[in-house]
Amino acid sequence: KPALTQISETFEPLFGGFSEAPKFPPSTRLRVLLRLLNRNKDSVTNKVMKEMISRTLDSMFRGGIYDHLGGGFHRYSTDTRWLVPHFEKMLYDNALLSSTYTEAFLLTGNPLYKKIAIDILEYINRDMSASGGGYFSAEDADSEGHEGLFYLWKEEELKGILTASEYKIFKKQFGTSKTGNFEGKNLLNMIGAKSPEKTFTAELVAIKKKLFLEREKKIHPYKDDKILTAWNGLMLSAQAKAYSAFNDKRFLQSAEKMATFIRNNLDRNSKLKRRYRAGEARFDAYLDDYAYLIEGLMNLYEASFNGKYLSWAEDLQERQDSNLWNAEQKAYAFAKSNKNLIVNTFELTDNARPNSNGTSLLNLNKLYAFTFKKKYKEKRDQLMKAYGKAFNKFPSHVAQALLALDYHLDAAKEVVIVGKNDEQNTQKLLSTVRQNFLPNKVLAFGNNISRKYVPLVKDKVAIGGVATAYVCLENICKLPVRDPNKLKSQLDDLVSL
């Protein structure tokens, strides 16, 4: 309740978000609200949370902060309406937003959110991927010496590319005009559109493609081609979650390619590096590199069921504990102490990205659920104590840690599916878990490679040779079921009030 109260007090009711201007996409706070909405049965509170979530998600997509031709979000809005952005595009923003829209779709069933999540990842895979794997960091705001020039249109340009009937349709949806809405030009937005989902109809998709192909001929903004471990870890989670939610193999393939790149280039000889560029990996990893990558690898295991990813996550956690844990602070330092480091920080609050200690808190919860190794539980309990005052005094500023607290307080679910992967009932059981909003669970699959690396699947078998699901809490399991409807009922029963 204190978190909901603080978040509600800062909510901007006309266009969503939790500030006036400038407005940054509030991904982590929205993910907290999604969990609170999932747990809360009070109709009045429910209505308030639904409004905060939908108003913000819908308004961001309507605004000029979203690239309506190429996909993906710009860094932040300079105004209250999400209209005029700072035009830089960041990998981490788009990773976090794709994950948020994916979760919102799973909870609400709103097909628009699925479209947006996919649109973001299609942009990332098209424009931000390195040939050998991994993703570049950012696209600049400027091109040809002017901010936003690449994204702006004069009306006569649009009329020269589109037919009269096409322009009429486009103008109605995107509100373009002769005078424009930004420095005499048109910054595409749907703030005035009645139905933003129409942008995904076949008619408008074809019109937008014509404009996109024409825009591709322009001089593009500079691309920052650094490949950062931390930001790629966030994108790893986004791609893996999208595959699990939408069953689109493109995203699993992208995630596995990225993981292979990181393994081969940034985590060699048990030394995780922070940055890769021009064939060279440099700088020892910081806390966010470890935390985000571990999170991404666990999500990738749940998408692929390749136990080697979970084993790699455990190895990274071991190194994070060895290099960065501070017993006095009961928290992780941001960097390993050395003579060149003037001061080392022990941050608990979020900034533009989720706090790394908060991310680690959730990672430890999930590693314990997969393995039942006491060291993860003990470390989690100590780190939880470090957040004690923050949870009470300023919970809205530690939203990432609230995700971990929600996991801890909820009836955290350990779900194991055992069966032949290509059997219809196996896939139905998997879909029952993956395509419902179950943020406080881990999912394992009883194949041979999981049995080697994932203690959670030990001793669980397909009863009678038929695909079987186990729903457990602290490895104490309900009766195994083979019917997807019975599995859904067991999962629903574990959602705390």
Side-chain angles (χ1 to χ4, degrees), residues 130 133-137 224-229 232 261-262 266 274-277:
Y135 292 96
F136 300 132
S137 297
D224 184 344
D225 62 357
K226 294 191 300 293
I227 297 174
L228 299 177
T229 300
N232 274 257
F261 176 87
I262 294 172
L266 284 155
R274 183 166 180 80
R275 190 213 76 181
Y276 180 91
R277 185 176 184 275

Side-chain angles (χ1 to χ4, degrees), residues 315-450:
D315 177 49
L316 286 166
Q317 187 65 54
E318 188 78 26
R319 285 184 267 157
Q320 177 182 318
D321 291 347
S322 175
N323 292 330
L324 300 175
W325 179 254
N326 184 285
E328 183 179 346
Q329 298 283 345
K330 293 184 174 59
Y332 294 100
F334 188 70
K336 188 174 182 179
S337 296
N338 62 64
K339 62 182 180 181
N340 297 318
L341 196 63
I342 298 173
V343 62
N344 209 348
T345 56
F346 295 87
E347 288 290 339
L348 298 179
T349 56
D350 302 313
N351 49 43
R353 296 179 295 281
N355 178 266
S356 306
N357 270 296
T359 302
S360 296
L361 189 56
L362 185 55
N363 289 346
L364 291 165
N365 270 303
K366 291 193 170 186
L367 285 169
Y368 176 68
F370 277 123
T371 68
F372 310 113
K373 293 179 181 178
K374 289 184 179 180
K375 62 181 180 180
Y376 299 132
K377 189 176 183 179
E378 291 167 354
K379 195 76 74 181
R380 176 204 69 190
D381 291 346
Q382 291 182 69
L383 186 53
M384 191 79 77
K385 289 179 182 177
Y387 270 101
K389 291 182 180 179
F391 284 144
N392 290 316
K393 290 187 175 181
F394 46 90
S396 64
H397 295 284
V398 291
Q400 178 61 31
L402 287 178
L403 301 182
L405 180 63
D406 185 64
Y407 184 104
H408 179 65
L409 295 177
D410 200 359
K413 307 160 194 67
E414 302 137 18
V415 185
V416 180
I417 310 295
V418 186
K420 294 180 180 178
N421 189 55
D422 56 355
E423 283 187 355
Q424 186 178 21
N425 201 55
T426 303
Q427 292 304 315
K428 285 182 178 179
L429 291 172
L430 286 171
S431 295
T432 300
V433 181
R434 285 172 161 170
Q435 292 168 21
N436 285 282
F437 184 66
L438 298 166
N440 297 331
K441 64 96 177 69
V442 294
L443 174 64
F445 187 71
N447 56 18
N448 289 335
I449 196 165
S450 283

Side-chain angles (χ1 to χ4, degrees), residues 67-225:
D67 179 0
H68 294 281
L69 296 185
F73 282 88
H74 299 290
R75 191 175 184 190
Y76 63 86
S77 175
T78 62
D79 62 276
T80 306
R81 298 189 298 161
W82 304 101
L83 175 61
V84 179
H86 173 55
F87 287 90
E88 191 175 18
K89 284 182 174 181
M90 311 299 292
L91 182 68
Y92 67 80
D93 277 329
N94 285 286
L96 294 168
L97 284 162
S98 178
S99 291
T100 303
Y101 278 100
T102 297
E103 287 191 351
F105 166 74
L106 290 174
L107 181 59
T108 68
N110 186 338
L112 179 62
Y113 298 155
K114 176 180 177 180
K115 291 280 191 182
I116 297 167
I118 290 174
D119 211 33
I120 293 169
L121 296 183
E122 287 179 339
Y123 151 66
I124 292 294
N125 289 333
R126 183 191 66 234
D127 289 354
M128 299 296 283
S129 60
S131 58
Y135 292 96
F136 300 132
S137 297
E139 288 189 297
D140 203 352
D142 298 358
S143 58
E144 301 180 66
H146 298 279
E147 182 173 353
L149 182 64
F150 183 74
Y151 303 98
L152 303 174
W153 298 88
K154 292 181 179 178
E155 186 181 54
E156 54 263 36
E157 287 182 277
L158 296 169
K159 287 182 173 180
I161 299 165
L162 304 176
T163 66
S165 60
E166 287 173 335
Y167 181 67
K168 184 178 180 180
I169 294 166
F170 188 79
K171 179 178 181 177
K172 184 177 181 181
Q173 188 71 12
F174 291 98
T176 53
S177 66
K178 185 174 182 178
T179 56
N181 56 12
F182 181 72
E183 298 180 353
K185 296 183 180 180
N186 289 285
L187 170 60
L188 302 183
N189 72 91
M190 297 189 295
I191 293 174
K194 290 183 179 179
S195 304
E197 62 273 10
K198 283 186 177 179
T199 188
F200 291 113
T201 60
E203 191 174 42
L204 270 164
V205 166
I207 292 171
K208 290 190 298 179
K209 186 174 181 181
K210 284 181 73 171
L211 292 173
F212 171 79
L213 292 174
E214 194 65 29
R215 192 180 78 174
E216 284 293 281
K217 299 174 185 177
K218 294 184 179 183
I219 295 174
H220 283 241
Y222 170 78
K223 202 183 302 289
D224 184 344
D225 62 357

Side-chain angles (χ1 to χ4, degrees), residues 472-492:
C472 312
L473 177 60
E474 295 273 347
N475 208 26
I476 299 172
C477 303
K478 290 176 172 285
L479 288 174
V481 295
R482 298 181 287 189
D483 182 347
N485 292 322
K486 289 183 179 179
L487 172 59
K488 178 68 164 61
S489 179
Q490 287 189 352
L491 292 168
D492 289 344

